[in-house]
Amino acid sequence: GENVEQHPSTLSVQEGDSAVIKCTYSDSASNYFPWYKQELGKGPQLIIDIRSNVGEKKDQRIAVTLNKTAKHFSLHITETQPEDSAVYFCAAPGGTSYGKLTFGQGTILTVHP
Amino acid sequence: GAGVSQSPSNKVTEKGKDVELRCDPISGHTALYWYRQSLGQGLEFLIYFQGNSAPDKSGLPSDRFSAERTGGSVSTLTIQRTQQEDSAVYLCASSFRTAPRTDTQYFGPGTRLTVL
């Protein structure tokens, strides 16, 4: 089955700095890579996703890059704000044809004002 | 439009009791997923429904766990004879099936289960 590794487990930045979270996956057939943001006491919220036919996708301050050869993808947040503080999860399809997701272990991002 | 809803939001039960957790998916979403999130951990897949059928239930941890979906909509996750290790947040997600392995999944707020 799919295995997703996520680093770092915690990330602390100053407001205005950039933050980068990296994930690797094992199944070369995986073709969809979402990123979720989870705030305390809430369910995960999709913030951006990328499909394997593109190498990069941007949405305002958030971008995701994908390297299929190396089997890794990254989340980039620019001009971080305190409200970006949350737990971020990457995911990849779970190695079957049905679309279950295998998640990374999460990154606790703290943005200091 | 309305998102995925789950009830109850919190459930406290005694060891050995049965519990039922409910999920209402986004209207029109044919696929429904259950995940479990233990304290400080990532999300662990439990079961997937396409319509009322469950093609993948590989993540259910034991035969104490079961789930059903009726009318292609509401799903119930049942845990029998609860144990303390069942304590976790149970998350439901749904998606509009467009293509296998590439659906966007939308999550509900979760049910926090505490087994005393």
Side-chain angles (χ1 to χ4, degrees), chain A residues 19-36:
Chain A
V20 180
I21 303 170
K22 298 181 179 181
C23 288
T24 61
Y25 61 98
S26 60
D27 185 355
S28 58
S30 286
N31 57 357
Y32 171 66
F33 307 93
W35 285 90
Y36 287 87

Side-chain angles (χ1 to χ4, degrees), chain A residues 36 38 51 96-99, chain B residues 35 37 97 100-102 105:
Chain A
Y36 287 87
Q38 188 175 29
R51 288 173 170 77
T96 71
S97 64
Y98 295 116
Chain B
Y35 294 84
Q37 186 174 32
R97 174 104 296 187
R101 297 168 62 95
T102 62
Q105 296 183 23

